[in-house]
Amino acid sequence: MSIKVAVFSTKPYDKQYLAAAFAVEREKSHAGDGAVFDLVFHDFALNLDTVALARGAIAVCVFVNDVLNAPVLEALHAEGVRAVLLRCAGFNHVDLVKAENLGFFVANVPSYSPEAVAEFSVALLQTLNRRTHRAYNRVREGNFTLDGLLGTTLHGKTVGVVGTGRIGLAAARIFKGYGCRILAFDPYKSDDFLAEKLGEYEDDLDTLLSQCDFVSLHCPLTKSTHHIINEHTLAKMKPGAILVNTSRGGLISTRPVIAALKSRHLGGVALDVYEGESGLFYNDHSGDIIEDDELMRLMTFPNVIVCGHQAFFTVEALNEIASVTLQNLADFVLSHPCPNSLVRSHKLFVRRDSYPVRI
Ligand code: NAD
């Protein structure tokens, strides 16, 4: 028997790594009665227009910009789909309450490589701070002047880490290695952060922002963190501070960020994620007229870097995403307890390693 899984938003690297993990896991993960998994790859995103492509599949395998709101989940259910396999950590794009009500199995890959994302955050920060993005272009044109490339030494500076979960913790360890003073904000304090003496917690975000030369966002997107960086919190930031966001675009309200850059209050912004990224990121729009005026304005600033949601993108992370996704699928099919389940028995399931989640 073949168990069909419809894989959406597939890129060549997804196919390569999922297929490889599937080949390795094939013997281990077949459903006992000789059933095998049949991955059907679609290169477009899951949404109401494409949901019919999941017909005949028991599960859909999706990524960060696929749509999993109530109408899509209802349509998937009507097509016979019973499981949602996220090949990512964030699950802000899934209506978990609706999924639970429909009896869906939903699982993510909570920790494929926190270090990969943390390292990328620091790389973005240092690119912006030391202007290597500008130096790269300048030197290629034979211009070896240093004017405009002046940065600051990270050693001794204060870095704000907002969210000290897996990625925030990994980032704090790197910043500590640089010799930075670390201030953290998280409603659920990390024992590891405290035990490793990585820095101090601030109970008030505004107080943290007013002291930091650099601020790196590592909290998930929820109702309470939506636009956590807004006109009010930007005003609290230290003049000239650099803001880094590799978490989720919706943490930042873009318009006031543009205003803070224009007024020179913000020293720079490095983004791997953007609120309006869905429909743009992961695709080639180089020949198109991009209609998002806020994104286009952002990209005109010399002290802004935008990347296309690539912080996770390492060999190690792709291997882990593929093997954990297939393990989640095997757990679902075999009715094994799944450590990565987000919804269980008609109530939101709060994982032991997680914080109370309400979307
Ligand atoms: P995690 O669940 O381990 O940690 C999140 C932390 O944020 C928790 O400690 C939680 O208590 C804290 N938090 C919750 N609400 C908060 C608030 N209001 N203020 C401050 N902290 C708050 O998650 P993680 O694995 O560290 O991942 C963090 C986020 O990174 C994910 O939610 C995802 O959106 C994003 N991410 C991005 C990429 C990428 O490629 N750019 C890759 C993986 C994850």
Side-chain angles (χ1 to χ4, degrees):
M1 188 180 81
S2 161
I3 295 173
K4 188 173 148 191
V5 179
V7 186
F8 286 87
S9 300
T10 314
K11 295 291 176 196
Y13 46 82
D14 293 312
K15 206 171 182 172
Q16 179 191 340
Y17 283 81
L18 279 169
F22 171 67
V24 171
E25 297 283 320
R26 194 179 181 99
E27 288 309 308
K28 279 196 277 173
S29 60
H30 72 64
D33 59 354
V36 290
F37 300 133
D38 178 16
L39 303 180
V40 180
F41 294 103
H42 301 296
D43 57 5
F44 39 79
L46 173 65
N47 55 45
L48 218 41
D49 295 331
T50 60
V51 86
L53 272 299
R55 188 166 302 156
I58 192 77
V60 289
C61 178
V62 293
F63 198 47
V64 291
N65 289 326
D66 289 297
V67 179
L68 290 137
N69 57 16
V72 169
L73 287 167
E74 275 168 4
L76 283 173
H77 194 267
E79 296 291 359
V81 175
R82 294 293 177 268
V84 175
L85 306 166
L86 303 170
R87 38 181 211 281
C88 54
F91 47 87
N92 52 283
H93 56 314
V94 187
D95 186 333
L96 286 179
V97 176
K98 187 71 187 178
E100 172 208 4
N101 288 338
L102 290 168
F104 271 103
F105 169 91
V106 184
N108 68 344
V109 184
S111 182
Y112 39 85
S113 180
E115 288 76 17
V117 182
E119 287 169 14
F120 194 79
S121 310
V122 182
L124 274 186
L125 189 157
Q126 277 294 60
T127 301
L128 199 53
N129 173 36
R130 301 303 300 269
R131 295 10 178 203
T132 37
H133 58 306
R134 303 192 66 198
Y136 175 81
N137 289 325
R138 191 180 287 192
V139 165
R140 287 168 75 90
E141 289 184 0
N143 177 355
F144 299 97
T145 61
L146 299 182
D147 310 79
L149 303 184
L150 191 64
T152 59
T153 305
L154 226 57
H155 185 92
K157 295 294 182 305
T158 304
V159 179
V161 175
V162 179
T164 50
R166 285 165 283 244
I167 297 171
L169 200 61
R173 290 184 183 121
I174 300 171
F175 287 126
K176 193 178 180 197
Y178 271 96
C180 297
R181 171 185 174 230
I182 299 158
L183 290 182
F185 175 75
D186 193 318
Y188 305 93
K189 294 187 172 68
S190 154
D191 292 340
D192 290 341
F193 183 88
L194 294 168
E196 293 175 38
K197 296 189 174 26
L198 293 174
E200 307 145 49
Y201 274 103
E202 269 295 349
D203 290 329
D204 177 48
L205 180 62
D206 288 356
T207 313
L208 175 144
L209 294 175
S210 67
Q211 298 177 67
C212 293
D213 303 290
F214 304 96
V215 175
S216 197
L217 303 179
H218 299 291
C219 54
L221 178 61
T222 64
K223 271 185 184 155
S224 67
T225 61
H226 181 250
H227 288 182
I228 196 168
I229 299 298
N230 52 44
E231 194 178 352
H232 166 81
T233 49
L234 282 164
K236 300 290 174 191
M237 286 181 75
K238 202 169 161 178
I242 289 181
L243 175 67
V244 181
N245 185 13
T246 59
S247 195
R248 281 294 180 269
L251 298 180
I252 293 181
S253 177
T254 309
R255 199 171 293 214
V257 164
I258 292 172
L261 285 161
K262 283 170 79 176
S263 70
R264 278 73 167 170
H265 177 63
L266 261 184
V269 181
L271 303 177
D272 185 47
V273 287
Y274 172 68
E275 190 163 23
E277 72 179 56
S278 167
L280 272 180
F281 284 14
Y282 300 121
N283 293 308
D284 182 0
H285 293 282
S286 52
D288 300 343
I289 308 265
I290 296 176
E291 293 186 10
D292 186 328
D293 291 345
E294 290 184 358
L295 177 64
M296 297 318 275
R297 178 65 182 105
L298 267 183
M299 293 197 295
T300 63
F301 291 99
N303 54 345
V304 169
I305 297 180
V306 179
C307 288
H309 206 145
Q310 71 172 88
F312 73 99
F313 199 52
T314 64
V315 169
E316 293 77 5
L318 288 184
N319 272 323
E320 187 68 10
I321 288 170
S323 67
V324 174
T325 299
L326 282 168
Q327 191 53 55
N328 289 343
L329 171 62
D331 286 344
F332 164 67
V333 171
L334 298 169
S335 300
H336 285 167
C338 176
N340 304 322
S341 168
L342 295 166
V343 175
R344 189 174 282 179
S345 310
H346 303 290
K347 64 173 191 241
L348 284 187
F349 176 59
V350 181
R351 225 163 28 207
R352 68 184 179 287
D353 64 342
S354 197
Y355 45 88
V357 176
R358 289 275 161 196
I359 304 276

